[in-house]
Amino acid sequence: MVDVQSLTEQIRILVNQISVLVIMGLIGFIAGKTRYLPDNSGSVLSRTVIKLTAPLLIFTTLAGRNFTKDILINGMWIFLLAVVFIMFSFVVGHFAGKILKLEGATANVFKMHFMFGNVIYLAFPLLRSLYGDGILIYAVFYNLANDAVLWTLGIFLVNRHNKVSVKDNLKHLVNANTIAFATGLVIMLIKSNFKGFIDGIPYIYDIGGFIANAFTPIGEATVPLSMLFIGLILSETKISSTKDLLKRYPIFVLALFKLILIPCIALFVFSFVDFVEPLVKAVIILQLSMPCATIVPALAEQYGSDYRLATENVFITTILGIVTMPFVVYLLTLAG
């Protein structure tokens, strides 16, 4: 029996949190439309988040917690199941593209966006607002799975018409976020297993406190900067009329599957699974329901693929995501 009062309260909290994120994004959108910020502001914000604030957020979140067996087990399940569902999304996108008769670079970008969602810019803020700082550890495990597929199969798709070595693509797997994850994990393990030794080191906690006080506020900037970036990206996409919008029906097919159907399929599958915790299921389902990844347009432009379609995918699915994300969270709440 669903507790109606509890469900109503959770929906109210969700609406409030998403409203805050939307307002942040709207500020970025207005700043972009009015040219209040320079033209390269989106690029600067993107690099700041990916290379600086998000890694520090990941590091401080991990380093500030104690290692437990549950974290390791749940994290591994998230990684493995994320890869399974990302590849399932690829298969669905492949057949959907065939039915829609998409070809070449357009078909490849279409498949990429079936697989890759906005797992940092939108998912991190949403998950954190719903479940607190601790959930970011699990969100990072999903991000690792996402990156593993993105920089292998994803690069292959966006770059099929060019020739770049597998070695060069795999280099992308070592980045600021994965380094922050590894470093934070090591510190978490040391804290949990060598507490007596650490206690004997003079001033170690004072030094750690200074570092945390410096790193934490920068990491905290990830959420607002991410939403400002989303707003700036949306402000750059131009759709002149409703008729012009309707011509882009493949994007709405993509949105239907990515934002609703695939997360619902995952929710249905997980209803028969008892060996993973509800929090693991929630992380995977919410990450699967994210709008299209903003990194795909950048990669498409870099490799001479269909970056215009990629940008429109991000624009339309992000707008629709304002409605669909609360719906998915509502279904998760009903499922218990």
Side-chain angles (χ1 to χ4, degrees):
M1 184 71 178
V2 177
D3 186 337
V4 177
Q5 185 175 356
S6 175
L7 180 59
T8 303
E9 179 63 17
Q10 289 184 30
I11 292 172
R12 186 190 67 79
I13 293 171
L14 173 66
V15 171
N16 287 344
Q17 296 292 355
I18 290 184
S19 297
V20 170
L21 298 180
V22 169
I23 291 171
M24 289 179 181
L26 185 60
I27 293 171
F29 181 83
I30 294 171
K33 276 295 184 185
T34 58
R35 305 282 175 156
Y36 183 72
L37 294 177
D39 290 340
N40 67 335
S41 297
S43 175
V44 173
L45 283 177
S46 174
R47 293 184 181 187
T48 301
V49 170
I50 292 295
K51 295 187 175 183
L52 185 62
T53 66
L56 287 177
L57 179 63
I58 292 167
F59 173 77
T60 54
T61 300
L62 286 170
R65 291 178 66 87
N66 292 319
F67 178 81
T68 65
K69 184 179 178 182
D70 287 342
I71 287 177
L72 178 61
I73 293 173
N74 289 336
M76 292 307 299
W77 275 121
I78 287 172
F79 182 91
L80 293 172
L81 291 170
V83 171
V84 169
F85 278 107
I86 289 171
M87 293 309 300
F88 171 74
S89 300
F90 167 71
V91 173
V92 174
H94 174 77
F95 285 107
K98 289 285 187 184
I99 293 171
L100 294 171
K101 298 181 179 178
L102 302 180
E103 297 179 350
T106 299
N108 291 329
V109 167
F110 186 76
K111 295 172 193 174
M112 282 186 73
H113 264 152
F114 258 81
M115 290 189 288
F116 306 121
N118 211 330
V119 297
I120 290 182
Y121 295 114
L122 270 178
F124 274 28
L126 180 60
L127 286 166
R128 192 178 183 210
S129 65
L130 292 174
Y131 299 103
D133 287 344
I135 197 68
L136 291 180
I137 294 176
Y138 297 141
V140 171
F141 275 101
Y142 186 99
N143 187 50
L144 290 174
N146 182 84
D147 281 358
V149 181
L150 173 65
W151 296 112
T152 50
L153 177 59
I155 291 296
F156 169 76
L157 288 172
V158 80
N159 193 37
R160 291 181 74 176
H161 53 291
N162 295 322
K163 291 185 178 180
V164 175
S165 69
V166 174
K167 182 180 178 181
D168 288 337
N169 290 336
L170 291 177
K171 286 180 182 178
H172 291 288
L173 292 175
V174 180
N175 54 54
N177 290 289
T178 53
I179 292 171
F181 175 80
T183 308
L185 188 62
V186 168
I187 291 177
M188 184 170 65
L189 287 168
I190 292 173
K191 281 176 54 185
S192 301
N193 294 284
F194 300 97
K195 190 176 185 306
F197 173 75
I198 293 173
D199 290 341
I201 302 176
Y203 306 111
I204 187 67
Y205 287 108
D206 291 334
I207 295 171
F210 282 123
I211 293 173
N213 289 337
F215 285 5
T216 300
I218 300 175
E220 295 283 345
T222 299
V223 173
L225 291 182
S226 295
M227 297 315 301
L228 288 176
F229 169 70
I230 293 293
L232 286 170
I233 285 290
L234 296 183
S235 72
E236 295 171 1
T237 303
K238 298 178 181 179
I239 296 178
S240 57
S241 65
T242 304
K243 184 177 180 181
D244 192 30
L245 187 63
L246 292 176
K247 289 180 181 178
R248 292 163 168 80
Y249 64 90
I251 302 177
F252 290 97
V253 173
L254 165 65
L256 176 64
F257 277 94
K258 180 154 191 59
L259 301 179
I260 298 177
L261 295 183
I262 290 176
C264 285
I265 290 171
L267 183 61
F268 175 75
V269 170
F270 279 138
S271 67
F272 299 99
V273 174
D274 296 324
F275 53 83
V276 293
E277 294 186 7
L279 202 58
V280 170
K281 299 176 184 179
V283 169
I284 294 172
I285 291 166
L286 286 175
Q287 293 275 33
L288 288 171
S289 71
M290 289 297 108
C292 293
T294 53
I295 194 173
V296 173
L299 290 173
E301 184 175 21
Q302 179 181 342
Y303 291 107
S305 191
D306 194 345
Y307 68 91
R308 295 185 185 278
L309 172 67
T311 303
E312 291 170 357
N313 288 345
V314 172
F315 176 81
I316 292 175
T317 58
T318 302
I319 295 296
L320 294 175
I322 295 172
V323 176
T324 60
M325 284 188 290
F327 174 70
V328 173
V329 174
Y330 173 72
L331 292 180
L332 269 172
T333 306
L334 287 179

